[in-house]
Amino acid sequence: MSNLVNSNSDRKKKIAKDWFTDLRERFCKKFEEIDGTKFSRKNWNHSGEGGGEMSTLKGNIFEKVGVNISTVKGSFKEDFRNQISGTEKSASYWASGISVVAHMQSPFVPAFHFNTRFIETGKTWFGGGSDMTPAIPNKEDVEIFHNSIEKVCNKHNESYYGDFKKQCDEYFYLPHRNEPRGEGGIFFDHLNNNDFDSDFSFIHDFGEDTLDTMSAIIEKRMSKKWSKEEKDIQLYKRGRYVEFNLLWDRGTLFGLKTGGSTEAILMSMPPTAKWK
Amino acid sequence: MSNLVNSNSDRKKKIAKDWFTDLRERFCKKFEEIDGTKFSRKNWNHSGEGGGEMSTLKGNIFEKVGVNISTVKGSFKEDFRNQISGTEKSASYWASGISVVAHMQSPFVPAFHFNTRFIETGKTWFGGGSDMTPAIPNKEDVEIFHNSIEKVCNKHNESYYGDFKKQCDEYFYLPHRNEPRGEGGIFFDHLNNNDFDSDFSFIHDFGEDTLDTMSAIIEKRMSKKWSKEEKDIQLYKRGRYVEFNLLWDRGTLFGLKTGGSTEAILMSMPPTAKWK
């Protein structure tokens, strides 16, 4: 029985991890095509077992884009253990994921963030999200982005989009500014419908669609010229992005305060930001 | 008796507040002389009683400098009350202070931070500190800065400098980078030797000396030309400064999470910062 359970657990982990790795390749390939320059790669080791691979590109279209994957295992410290689902019987965890953060040269192209992950403690679940942070919001792009996510969600479960959009709006919010971080998207955690293959199918479609939609919006807007004033709007918007990530983003705070790879976690920082 | 207590309390508050206001005037006057441009002022109101005045200058020598004073009173919320000394019998507080943050155009001039404050809860005390964050540390400037503070400290109490320097090194530290924020200075809190006039005399000398020493270092280094590469060193150092302030600075987090003036608190943010 134990072998069956383990082999089933191993099968799920392998499916998730292999697809994260595969999706990373395709994000990098597509973004290299768009930019005309190449990603550089760097590995890091986790303090427990495993580690990650950062892919970073600073180019013509992408001022800075990171595509990170990681697969780690270990044991939560007591004080954090209580914050994590499924740790009643054991503090051990396994986690694998992909994370994409794109800060663009053009203030007319939104910054994009996407990540998804598969976690195993005493329970297993998927988490993830995708959201856009335009400096100068373009109604058409915002609609394309949201409509595309809604379509993918509805293909799998008609309650997903409304629920996950609401979670995104609540999560990516700066209370100290009374401002949303950007124009939203979706955010979800603890997704487990007791059917791994069905849940994975949603995650898969969501990730593939995000790659396509992001790329389409970037390609549509990237050639438009901008002024110094328009660039400054973007740089001040990035100041807010920094504030959100360092003050409020649970993932960033959790990673930094539990000995994650600072370099990989803070890959989300913009290349340049301004404050008034 | 109650009147005597109140009038003594009022006397202390008035002395502290008047000097903070006076010192603010002289910081602004001296920095305007150095820069050749003028500060602009803006008031804000506290959610309880009182408020503050921000003075900001973006000029030729100072890329951005803020000199803030504030005097506020109110009642701590229950969850914060326990973190504050002297709140056993009452949650009410009175606080007045001055805060200076200077980000310089030249990467050869250190960024400076100075603040001091007088607090009354069930207890009264002074807190404060002064520290330098050079992008390209110059041994001579670091020595001048530390020696000057040491001399002021020793005039009042020979244990102050060693004790307060250690607190500064511990406080202005980025655990996630294993890096100090800068080249240190002093940091202290809960200073009360049961002799207000003597404690105020130290605070006064410390503040006056900080104005003189900062100004002398700025004037000595501000005319040296710099390259784009040297400026970039400063901008990346400022990225670390942002990380410290938003991730670890108790004052910033406390202010932002208890409804302080976001604009006044985040005056400490540099005008521009970079991340790799």
Side-chain angles (χ1 to χ4, degrees), chain A residues 77-264:
Chain A
K77 288 184 185 161
E78 277 308 309
D79 48 341
F80 282 101
R81 178 177 171 179
N82 298 331
Q83 299 175 29
I84 311 291
S85 186
T87 55
E88 296 80 7
K89 291 186 186 164
S90 161
S92 64
Y93 64 89
W94 181 96
S96 184
I98 177 170
S99 171
V100 178
V101 179
H103 294 286
M104 312 305 298
Q105 295 282 7
S106 168
F108 296 118
V109 183
F112 287 106
H113 160 250
F114 160 75
N115 91 80
T116 188
R117 54 199 176 269
F118 182 61
I119 315 282
E120 184 186 73
T121 59
K123 299 178 178 175
T124 61
W125 69 89
F126 285 101
S130 177
D131 71 296
M132 72 187 327
T133 309
I136 302 164
N138 178 310
K139 206 181 157 194
E140 189 181 283
D141 294 349
V142 174
E143 277 180 16
I144 289 170
F145 188 72
H146 285 272
N147 289 345
S148 166
I149 296 175
E150 185 175 13
K151 207 170 149 190
V152 169
C153 286
N154 285 345
K155 192 179 145 194
H156 292 270
N157 185 322
E158 294 214 333
S159 76
Y160 279 177
Y161 181 67
D163 181 14
F164 297 169
K165 181 181 190 305
K166 185 164 172 281
Q167 288 187 57
C168 184
D169 290 341
E170 287 167 0
Y171 186 84
F172 292 106
Y173 189 77
L174 288 70
H176 66 290
R177 298 281 190 184
N178 291 321
E179 281 176 18
R181 179 169 91 167
E183 294 291 329
I186 60 168
F187 183 87
F188 56 93
D189 207 0
H190 301 109
L191 183 82
N192 183 339
N193 294 294
N194 292 315
D195 181 346
F196 174 86
D197 293 319
S198 162
D199 287 341
F200 176 72
S201 169
F202 163 65
I203 296 294
H204 174 273
D205 290 354
F206 165 57
E208 300 294 336
D209 179 70
T210 297
L211 168 56
D212 293 344
T213 308
M214 269 191 201
S215 302
I217 294 172
I218 293 167
E219 287 177 316
K220 190 169 65 171
R221 300 290 172 203
M222 68 190 201
S223 306
K224 188 178 172 185
K225 296 261 183 291
W226 61 89
S227 66
K228 188 185 172 299
E229 289 69 30
E230 286 156 342
K231 184 70 188 176
D232 269 352
I233 293 171
Q234 183 195 46
L235 296 178
Y236 290 115
K237 186 72 180 169
R238 286 186 185 162
R240 300 293 211 259
Y241 198 93
V242 168
E243 289 176 20
F244 176 80
N245 283 22
L246 299 182
L247 286 169
W248 302 103
D249 185 52
R250 292 195 294 267
T252 300
L253 297 178
F254 185 86
L256 290 181
K257 297 188 176 184
T258 53
S261 161
T262 294
E263 197 181 354

